[in-house]
Amino acid sequence: MRYISTRDPKRAVSAADAVISGIAPDGGLYIPEDPDFGSFDWKALLSEDFRGIAERIFSFYFEDLPGIPEIVGKAYGPRFDTPEVTPLKKVGDRFVLELFHGPTSAFKDVALQALPLLLSEARKVRGITHETVILTATSGDTGKAALEGFRDVPGTRIIVFFPDGGVSTVQRAQMVTQEGGNVCSVAVRGNFDDTQTGVKQIFVREKAEGLPGTDAALSSANSINIGRLVPQIAYYFKAYADLVKAGEIRVGDPIDFTVPTGNFGDILAGYLAYRMGLPVGKLVCASNKNDVLTEFIGTGVYDKNRPFYKTTSPSMDILVSSNLERLLYFLSEEGDEPVSELMKKLTETGRYKVSPRFLEKLQALFDCGAANDEEVADSIREVFTKYGYLLDPHTAAGWHTADRYFEKTGHTRPNVVLSTASPYKFPQAVLEALGIPHGSDEFEMMDLLSEKTGVQVPYNLSSLRGKEERFTDVVDKEEMYAYVIRTLEK
Ligand SMILES: *Cc1c(COP(=O)(O)O)cnc(C)c1O
């Protein structure tokens, strides 16, 4: 498979090159050159376990990378706390796909345990000897998962930027205590979009003037890297295979997925699974109060000119969902505005509108909904009270959205709600939802939550307590480039 930019379909690159550079030279995102995945034998996946599924999918997308079986074996081994990797649980009238069993208790581990190994392999294939420097902007979970994934991977270094005050205490603790000789995290004065924009500008500047004083080259671990996106396709098939095995559906029956969405990476992986043949009824996009995607899917207008809210589901506090650009490319047709034009409008005016034809296609496969903090809390309480199952706030936004979706359409197909984080990453919001009084220490909150619910705290979180803080720098967004240069000189 070769890859083209969403903004210039004429020049294709190999998978190795797409993984190494992360973003296309024109600022676009890499997508498969031939989106006709009809040749893919998706039914062969149904008898496989997670690793077998991942191996087949990786081999399909990264055919120029040898060593895929080793990569899959390393990525999805004992660092996950269950051999199932992404178990599917029946909770009430739907299914919860638990994506948080990796080393940082966030769904991003599924992709970020594999990406560094894919990148290493891609470097080998291309004979690269200079250092690859990963720059990542994070709204909380990506940062830690990326640090953990790249930690001491030879030939790489990683710098993670997170919004100062924009992540939870536990998320911050995870990042500033990170171990490893090639890692660093730094806080940025601003919100996630400022942080992400800052990182994008560093990439643009590197293209123009290189990185003075070093022969290192930048790459990205954000969900814009195709090597981040592809591993996520695996669990859509895994969930389907589990439903077949459990006798809930027969092969070919369509199912719905409800996806708590921020940067649109997770749900886009679902779209790719659909294009590869997975019988999907609807992909239901769940937002929080930052409901820019809900409006887009409902009306065809993308408008980021709106207040930015900090919510109890911070990993979804996003106004510019980068991966949507890939969907724009896939769904647009001759006569529609080119993706580069839409993105130009977004940069210049913060807004664009797609054609009625485009909107029709979008709505044929996607539904949407949003949950405010109160609705998120209601879902956490309701699901725990009724089923004894503890949702994190992001997953609860999905649960609420699925409720509204059932009300609107009837519950006609099995619905899989993707669970994107352990509730223990957000203990305060979960305790408050359950009406349990608590103090101000997040680690004590974890213990309290465990005591009240009987659900165990993942070891990777409980062991953060009292760990030494290695990274305490805070920078202005204008200083980010200089910070990278300084760090690389060291
Ligand atoms: C990153 C994240 C999301 C959003 O995923 P996207 O791929 O950015 O849409 C949702 N929930 C949690 C807990 C996350 O960390």
Side-chain angles (χ1 to χ4, degrees), residues 136-144 160-163 167 175 192 195 222:
T136 295
T138 184
S139 56
D141 286 343
T142 308
K144 174 62 182 179
V160 168
F161 292 97
F162 63 89
V167 302
M175 290 187 275
F192 173 68
T195 310
N222 274 42

Side-chain angles (χ1 to χ4, degrees), residues 173-249:
Q174 283 186 306
M175 290 187 275
V176 302
T177 64
Q178 177 66 44
E179 291 166 27
N182 63 339
V183 301
C184 151
S185 65
V186 50
V188 178
R189 291 183 194 95
N191 62 28
F192 173 68
D193 285 318
D194 297 328
T195 310
Q196 179 161 259
T197 304
V199 165
K200 282 185 184 162
Q201 281 165 357
I202 299 172
F203 278 102
V204 171
R205 216 162 144 180
E206 185 216 15
K207 288 279 164 320
E209 50 196 272
L211 295 170
T214 151
D215 66 348
L218 299 181
S219 188
S220 158
N222 274 42
S223 55
I224 53 176
N225 192 313
I226 191 79
R228 254 296 286 284
L229 200 54
V230 168
Q232 301 182 45
I233 299 170
Y235 48 71
Y236 284 89
F237 284 102
K238 168 69 162 54
Y240 194 88
D242 283 349
L243 288 173
V244 172
K245 278 177 205 151
E248 297 280 354
I249 56 171

Side-chain angles (χ1 to χ4, degrees), residues 402-468:
D403 280 342
R404 295 289 89 81
Y405 171 69
F406 294 155
E407 277 167 21
K408 192 168 67 178
T409 62
H411 190 161
T412 54
R413 289 180 287 259
N415 195 296
V416 173
V417 178
L418 274 62
S419 178
T420 49
S422 157
Y424 286 102
K425 288 205 80 171
F426 308 94
Q428 178 168 351
V430 176
L431 282 167
E432 283 167 11
L434 297 176
I436 301 170
H438 60 81
S440 61
D441 182 301
E442 255 190 33
F443 290 102
E444 279 167 25
M445 290 182 211
M446 283 186 196
D447 289 342
L448 180 63
L449 186 57
S450 180
E451 193 186 298
K452 297 281 183 190
T453 62
V455 180
Q456 216 185 339
V457 188
Y459 177 73
N460 77 74
L461 296 178
S462 61
S463 62
L464 286 173
R465 196 183 326 227
K467 223 173 167 183
E468 182 206 351

Side-chain angles (χ1 to χ4, degrees), residues 287-303:
S287 306
N288 61 24
K289 198 172 175 187
N290 296 294
D291 58 357
V292 61
L293 287 168
T294 311
E295 180 177 284
F296 177 65
I297 295 170
T299 67
V301 174
Y302 195 97
D303 189 353

Side-chain angles (χ1 to χ4, degrees), residues 107-108 141 232 260-266 315-316 392 394 420-421:
F107 98 93
K108 294 185 173 67
D141 286 343
Q232 301 182 45
T261 297
N263 229 348
F264 213 77
D266 202 1
S315 298
M316 294 156 68
D392 101 289
H394 304 78
T420 49

Side-chain angles (χ1 to χ4, degrees), residues 40 42 45-46 48-59 61-62 72 76 84-87 97 99 110-111 114 228-242 257 265-266 268-274 276 278 418:
F40 186 78
W42 68 273
L45 299 178
L46 299 181
E48 302 273 7
D49 63 2
F50 183 92
R51 289 196 213 180
I53 292 172
E55 207 177 302
R56 282 176 189 257
I57 290 175
F58 284 25
S59 303
Y61 281 93
F62 307 123
V72 167
Y76 305 114
E84 282 198 84
V85 185
T86 61
L97 180 58
L99 304 176
V110 181
R228 254 296 286 284
L229 200 54
V230 168
Q232 301 182 45
I233 299 170
Y235 48 71
Y236 284 89
F237 284 102
K238 168 69 162 54
Y240 194 88
D242 283 349
F257 291 92
D266 202 1
L268 192 84
Y271 176 75
L272 291 175
Y274 162 77
M276 292 163 77
L278 187 69
L418 274 62

